[in-house]
Amino acid sequence: MTINRLLAGSTYTEKERNSLNWAYRLTLESLGLVERGDPLCEFIARKVIEVRARGVTNASAISRLAIKELKLN
């Protein structure tokens, strides 16, 4: 999964990684995308991580903000 590759070596806890994975899946699902190794999925994963880094911890909120900021819907 793209987001796991990006999180490798990060300082996030297992719980935080699980939340990021969930947010990533929610975001892809909301956009009608299937996880794959293309640049769009990596771009989305980076945005999800960026939103989390700003202090948003709820997976649903991360997903909503990522979608809003990506302006893909």
Side-chain angles (χ1 to χ4, degrees), residues 19-20 22-31 44 47-49 51-52 54 56-73:
S19 178
L20 282 162
W22 184 244
Y24 178 60
R25 288 186 199 128
L26 285 173
T27 305
L28 291 179
E29 184 178 300
S30 294
L31 297 171
I44 290 168
K47 178 55 78 172
V48 165
I49 294 168
V51 171
R52 172 62 181 91
R54 294 195 315 251
V56 181
T57 59
N58 178 277
S60 295
I62 292 170
S63 177
R64 282 192 306 273
L65 283 169
I67 291 168
K68 182 179 178 182
E69 291 177 17
L70 290 166
K71 299 178 183 176
L72 293 175
N73 66 343

Side-chain angles (χ1 to χ4, degrees), residues 5-17:
R5 183 176 45 79
L6 295 174
L7 292 172
S10 73
T11 59
Y12 288 112
T13 66
E14 183 177 348
K15 183 178 178 179
E16 291 168 329
R17 287 175 191 248

Side-chain angles (χ1 to χ4, degrees), residues 36-54:
R36 56 192 184 277
D38 72 17
L40 179 59
C41 289
E42 183 170 336
F43 185 67
I44 290 168
R46 288 182 187 280
K47 178 55 78 172
V48 165
I49 294 168
E50 176 189 314
V51 171
R52 172 62 181 91
R54 294 195 315 251

